[in-house]
Amino acid sequence: QWIRAVMHRESGGRATVNGRPITSPAGAIGLMQVMPATGRWAGDLAGRKLNLMDPQDNITAGVVTLRFLTQHANNRDEVIGSYYQGLGAVRKHGFYPDTRRYVNSVKAHMKRFGG
C-alpha cells in the first residue's frame, strides 16, 4: 500500500489531466511523477525501455526506483524521502523541510489506504 500512497501523493492517482499525461513544472511525468533521466535509469534496471507517458510503464519506473531505494536506504522514511529528494542528497543534507512534509504526507496516505 505504500507504493499506492506515493503514487497518490505524486499525482493524486491520475494519469492524465485534460487527456494529457500529468507533468510537473520540473518535468516529472505521469502517475509516479518520474523524471526522464530517472525513467531511463529505471528502464536499464528493468531491462527494457520504459515509455513514461504510458501509465503502466510509468508505474514500473516508479516501482523499480522504489525497489532500488528499499535495497539501499536505511529505513522506510529514507526510501520515501529519497524518492522525492534523491538518496545522495538525503544522505548528504538530511531531509529538507519540504521532504519532511512529503514523507509525512505519504505516511498519512499509507494510513488512509491501510498500509
Side-chain angles (χ1 to χ4, degrees), residues 18 24-25 31 45 52 60 69-70 73 77 86 106 109-110:
N18 298 325
S24 76
L31 286 161
L45 290 179
L52 297 180
T60 298
L69 292 170
T70 298
D77 282 6
V106 169
H109 287 305
M110 287 170 62

Side-chain angles (χ1 to χ4, degrees), residues 8 10 13 20 31 41-42 52 61 63-64 76 79 87:
H8 192 80
E10 289 291 342
R20 295 177 153 175
L31 286 161
W41 172 80
L52 297 180
V63 168
V64 165
R76 176 77 50 92
V79 170
L87 183 58

Side-chain angles (χ1 to χ4, degrees), residues 40-53:
R40 288 188 295 276
W41 172 80
D44 289 344
L45 290 179
R48 66 181 179 88
K49 183 176 175 154
L50 298 173
N51 175 4
L52 297 180
M53 298 294 189

Side-chain angles (χ1 to χ4, degrees), residues 65-79:
T65 301
L66 287 165
R67 182 183 312 134
F68 175 88
L69 292 170
T70 298
Q71 294 167 346
H72 293 89
N74 294 319
N75 56 55
R76 176 77 50 92
D77 282 6
E78 191 173 82
V79 170

Side-chain angles (χ1 to χ4, degrees), residues 2 6 66 69-70 73-87 90 94-95 99-108 110:
W2 68 281
V6 169
L66 287 165
L69 292 170
T70 298
N74 294 319
N75 56 55
R76 176 77 50 92
D77 282 6
E78 191 173 82
V79 170
I80 296 167
S82 295
Y83 190 83
Y84 179 79
Q85 182 179 318
L87 183 58
V90 166
F95 287 161
T99 303
R100 175 56 53 202
R101 288 188 295 275
Y102 178 87
V103 170
N104 289 337
S105 175
V106 169
K107 289 166 77 173
M110 287 170 62

